[in-house]
Amino acid sequence: MEEKKEETKFSMADLLPTVLDINVHHYVRDQSLATNYDESVRIDSRNIVAGNLIDTGSLVCGKLMVKEITEESITLIHIPSKETHTLKFEEEWVIGPYISDNNPYVSSDEITMTIKYDLLTPWAQIPDIVDKIMQVHEKSTGSVIPETVEDEERVLALLNLELEAGDVGSYPLKALLSACNNWYTARIVRLGMFQEILLEGIEKGALAPDDETGWSWLKVAADTNDPETFMTDMDRYYDLLASAVENGNTDALDIMNTIWEPEQIIEED
């Protein structure tokens, strides 16, 4: 039976935009002294227009002109060297080393530039969006926070792409974010949804003994919620915890201690 994909209002082009990564290595010689340093910039292709110069901000690399841009490739002209190159996905174009004009300074700046045209992956986006959401949620006292709903939906859509690609360790994070209204407090308000998503992940391999990512996210959930409520099948839950602890997972051990320490105290009394 074919698995049903979750619907999203975001297109793939919107979720996974193409970007131009420009990295510049500088070798600066000033009389007898030599200095090496690197600069980089990432440019969303939606901000790039064929026929225009690329806005590289404060990056010192010489001007780049866009000759043509499509969903599959970008053709660039590096004006200082007069080189033209068409980059396809995941390809790199290395330019240089060449000497930049440092007039009126005495020093010389030898530059090597590496350009790559690629997709902006989900995990290259998720931390920044979550941080933006957290800043709003930290100051909110309401249950539902309308101004961050679209960003929350985007994060969950990006997580779904990761899960579809086999990143089962992100299931506990998806469960937590889906079940919370306020991501800053991380308080679960839809426990049934949390349990359902977590179980789906477990069936696909999440929380295996060596799933360090999955256990680290479950520990985040356990820090602000009761970990004894995370599954309805407690025997299976305890088996998962015990196996991970035996494998040396410290996050699973912390969760286990949270569950059993109160019981041990009662027995000792």
Side-chain angles (χ1 to χ4, degrees):
M1 186 176 182
E2 187 178 347
E3 185 178 345
K4 184 179 178 182
K5 290 187 178 182
E6 294 186 33
E7 292 185 3
T8 174
K9 67 181 182 181
F10 304 103
S11 68
M12 288 298 293
D14 185 33
L15 288 175
L16 300 177
T18 50
V19 290
L20 199 64
D21 284 325
I22 304 175
N23 295 280
V24 180
H25 177 74
H26 294 260
Y27 175 62
V28 182
R29 286 172 292 190
D30 187 356
Q31 298 182 7
S32 61
L33 299 176
T35 305
N36 289 275
Y37 70 96
D38 295 301
E39 295 180 294
S40 64
V41 67
R42 170 169 285 164
I43 304 166
D44 191 323
S45 65
R46 290 170 293 189
N47 298 325
I48 297 174
V49 179
N52 289 359
L53 292 173
I54 292 177
D55 181 6
T56 56
S58 61
L59 198 68
V60 178
C61 61
K63 294 179 180 179
L64 281 168
M65 172 77 77
V66 184
K67 187 175 180 180
E68 183 181 17
I69 183 168
T70 70
E71 293 182 357
E72 293 79 27
S73 66
I74 184 169
T75 301
L76 300 169
I77 303 171
H78 183 237
I79 292 176
S81 64
K82 299 180 181 177
E83 291 186 56
T84 300
H85 191 86
T86 298
L87 276 168
K88 294 183 179 180
F89 280 140
E90 299 183 345
E91 286 185 349
E92 287 187 345
W93 179 24
V94 179
I95 306 172
Y98 62 93
I99 304 297
S100 69
D101 184 4
N102 271 353
N103 269 339
Y105 302 107
V106 177
S107 64
S108 65
D109 190 353
E110 185 179 276
I111 292 175
T112 302
M113 181 159 57
T114 303
I115 305 173
K116 187 174 183 180
Y117 191 52
D118 209 349
L119 291 175
L120 191 60
T121 64
W123 275 109
Q125 304 176 62
I126 290 172
D128 288 340
I129 306 173
V130 169
D131 183 62
K132 176 183 172 185
I133 293 168
M134 291 286 200
Q135 291 179 34
V136 177
H137 286 199
E138 181 182 6
K139 301 172 184 176
S140 177
T141 57
S143 175
V144 179
I145 304 138
E147 56 264 45
T148 62
V149 167
E150 184 165 348
D151 280 336
E152 292 171 45
E153 291 174 346
R154 182 178 295 275
V155 169
L156 292 172
L158 289 168
L159 279 176
N160 283 335
L161 291 180
E162 281 293 294
L163 297 175
E164 289 169 13
D167 178 20
V168 295
S170 292
Y171 263 104
L173 176 61
K174 178 188 175 182
L176 178 61
L177 297 183
S178 299
C180 294
N181 284 343
N182 187 309
W183 288 10
Y184 180 77
T185 63
R187 298 294 300 175
I188 293 172
V189 295
R190 291 176 288 277
L191 182 58
M193 178 180 290
F194 179 92
Q195 293 171 338
E196 181 182 348
I197 295 172
L198 186 63
L199 181 59
E200 178 186 340
I202 290 169
E203 297 291 351
K204 294 182 179 180
L207 300 185
D210 61 348
D211 179 19
E212 294 185 6
T213 300
W215 284 108
S216 67
W217 288 125
L218 197 69
K219 173 63 166 54
V220 172
D223 285 342
T224 49
N225 299 277
D226 181 0
E228 281 194 271
T229 64
F230 289 173
M231 287 185 68
T232 54
D233 185 346
M234 295 303 290
D235 289 337
R236 185 176 186 183
Y237 184 29
Y238 293 152
D239 286 343
L240 290 168
L241 280 166
S243 296
V245 170
E246 289 172 7
N247 197 59
N249 190 291
T250 56
D251 290 317
L253 179 60
D254 287 343
I255 296 171
M256 180 179 282
N257 287 337
T258 301
I259 293 174
W260 271 295
E261 277 182 349
E263 295 177 4
Q264 292 170 351
I265 291 171
I266 292 171
E267 290 174 1
E268 289 172 1
D269 289 343

